[in-house]
Amino acid sequence: MKKLIKIFVNLLTISRIIFSIFLIFNATKLSNITFLMIVAILFLTDQLDGFLARKYKVQTLFGAVMDTVADKILCITLIIPLILGNRISLIILIGELAIGLTNLIAVLNKRKTTVSFIGKVKMWLLSISIIVGYLVSFGYTPKIIFNISCVITFVIQLYVLIKYILLLKGRERIGNSNISIEFKLEKLFDTDYYLKNL
């Protein structure tokens, strides 16, 4: 049973990457409502895969890495078209790219960041900002709501970025963040190895 849950959780994560690419090539062929429903479902899979992995203790290195990659691909592919209609969305793109780069540097320095409350808040705000951005571009919502949500999201992104930079400098801990996990190919799907090193 645990193996099936692990496969399901990893498929949820990978589905975000597949559907992000699907949206790039098919967004104009979808109705506004269908597009928004797919985007909302993709953001919910981000919450669901992590929740299921923690609940059933099936976390793996592969899942942790792919979750971050899938999140960044989804968010970046959705933010870039918004920039054409409203330049303020550029700030949340810059914030997300900076966080992604900092995470990459942390991994290269063998620093492990675990899920934190502020990270979840940032992801929820980013998800809401993106959905509101598309509601604005489809003419359902006033532009000012998107502008406000972008500014709030960017402030939280800056806070997360500062926490990660302090982590890299060794001045701060985020969860069990100073624990390093050796990235070995044979350990990618090993739940026990991942949980033992957290």
Side-chain angles (χ1 to χ4, degrees):
M1 181 66 171
K2 228 175 177 182
K3 190 173 184 179
L4 286 174
I5 293 169
K6 189 190 298 188
I7 291 168
F8 178 71
V9 167
N10 286 331
L11 286 175
L12 272 180
T13 304
I14 292 168
S15 74
R16 277 202 308 286
I17 296 172
I18 293 168
F19 276 97
S20 296
I21 294 165
F22 168 82
L23 286 175
I24 291 170
F25 296 106
N26 295 291
T28 57
K29 298 174 189 170
L30 301 171
S31 72
N32 295 347
I33 299 298
T34 303
F35 177 83
L36 288 170
M37 284 175 52
I38 291 171
V39 169
I41 290 168
L42 290 174
F43 282 127
L44 287 175
T45 65
D46 176 41
Q47 300 304 313
L48 185 61
D49 62 5
F51 169 76
L52 291 174
R54 287 185 296 278
K55 179 176 171 127
Y56 293 102
K57 298 188 182 337
V58 293
Q59 301 105 305
T60 61
L61 293 176
F62 174 82
V65 170
M66 288 308 293
D67 185 58
T68 301
V69 169
D71 291 349
K72 297 304 175 232
I73 289 173
L74 176 62
C75 292
I76 290 167
T77 57
L78 290 173
I79 294 169
I80 288 173
L82 290 176
I83 295 170
L84 301 173
N86 194 340
R87 300 253 187 259
I88 196 165
S89 47
L90 186 60
I91 65 171
I92 59 174
L93 176 64
I94 291 167
E96 210 49 29
L97 289 172
I99 289 169
L101 180 63
T102 308
N103 273 332
L104 177 62
I105 293 167
V107 168
L108 294 174
N109 285 293
K110 295 187 177 180
R111 297 286 180 120
K112 168 76 179 84
T113 58
T114 57
V115 176
S116 64
F117 175 73
I118 194 68
K120 287 181 184 179
V121 169
K122 187 272 303 178
M123 193 60 198
W124 274 105
L125 286 173
L126 183 61
S127 306
I128 291 166
S129 291
I130 290 170
I131 290 170
V132 168
Y134 281 99
L135 287 171
V136 168
S137 68
F138 298 149
Y140 299 133
T141 307
K143 203 174 191 178
I144 188 72
I145 295 173
F146 179 57
N147 294 348
I148 291 167
S149 70
C150 280
V151 170
I152 293 169
T153 301
F154 185 67
V155 168
I156 298 296
Q157 285 175 320
L158 281 178
Y159 180 76
V160 170
L161 185 61
I162 290 166
K163 296 279 270 181
Y164 283 164
I165 290 169
L166 291 174
L167 164 72
L168 284 171
K169 291 187 170 191
R171 295 184 186 163
E172 179 115 4
R173 288 175 59 94
I174 301 174
N176 292 330
S177 56
N178 286 334
I179 295 173
S180 65
I181 295 178
E182 196 173 339
F183 285 84
K184 294 182 176 178
L185 193 57
E186 67 271 13
K187 300 292 186 186
L188 279 179
F189 298 97
D190 187 343
T191 298
D192 293 332
Y193 174 77
Y194 185 87
L195 293 175
K196 185 173 66 176
N197 286 285
L198 276 181

